[in-house]
Amino acid sequence: MSNADLKSNRPLSPHLQIYRLTLTMAMSIVHRITGGALYFGTILLAIWLIAAASGPGAFDVVNAIYGSIIGRLILFGYTWALIHHMFGGIRHFIFDLGKGFEPAERETFVRIHLIASIVLTILLWIIGFVVA
């Protein structure tokens, strides 16, 4: 049997066109993206800590950058990514316990996960502005 015959007899895997994108699938993708984004956000945190240790001049510069509109948007996104990723980890922990595999349960977990991450991020920022 030639190599070409072996390839032609293989079963075809479903392609992306066959699958309907569900909220659970989208949240899994977003969980991976937020995990990658946390690396860059942690670099921002490290820069802020190094500036604080370097003295008031460096700290003021970094605070001015992070306090700008763009800086605050980036920090807001980092906060959401951190909280979203945390709730994703909790959801996966529940899956590891053998719970939440029914379609209705998965959809409920995903909706709670998404709403809770948004609400908690906004709540933390409101508290941050009130305290500061």
Side-chain angles (χ1 to χ4, degrees):
M1 205 176 245
S2 72
N3 196 15
D5 291 334
L6 287 175
K7 286 185 179 182
S8 65
N9 290 331
R10 289 184 183 170
L12 294 176
S13 297
H15 298 288
L16 290 174
Q17 296 88 357
I18 294 172
Y19 287 113
R20 182 179 61 87
L21 184 68
T22 63
L23 191 55
T24 306
M25 292 166 64
M27 293 298 278
S28 177
I29 294 166
V30 171
H31 181 76
R32 295 165 200 269
I33 292 170
T34 58
L38 291 178
Y39 282 107
F40 299 105
T42 304
I43 291 170
L44 294 175
L45 179 62
I47 290 169
W48 184 74
L49 291 171
I50 291 168
S54 298
F59 188 67
D60 289 341
V61 169
V62 171
N63 271 344
I65 294 169
Y66 289 3
S68 68
I69 292 173
I70 293 173
R72 286 185 183 190
L73 283 174
I74 291 169
L75 291 175
F76 184 84
Y78 175 67
T79 306
W80 177 78
L82 186 63
I83 292 170
H84 180 80
H85 200 77
M86 177 194 68
F87 279 126
I90 292 169
R91 188 167 53 94
H92 283 280
F93 179 69
I94 292 169
F95 290 160
D96 289 344
L97 295 175
K99 309 280 188 213
F101 288 117
E102 297 299 319
E105 292 174 326
R106 280 195 319 263
E107 288 297 312
T108 301
F109 278 142
V110 166
R111 282 180 166 63
I112 290 170
H113 173 188
L114 185 59
I115 292 167
S117 67
I118 293 168
V119 168
L120 189 57
T121 301
I122 293 170
L123 185 65
L124 280 173
W125 274 74
I126 289 171
I127 292 169
F129 277 112
V130 168
V131 170

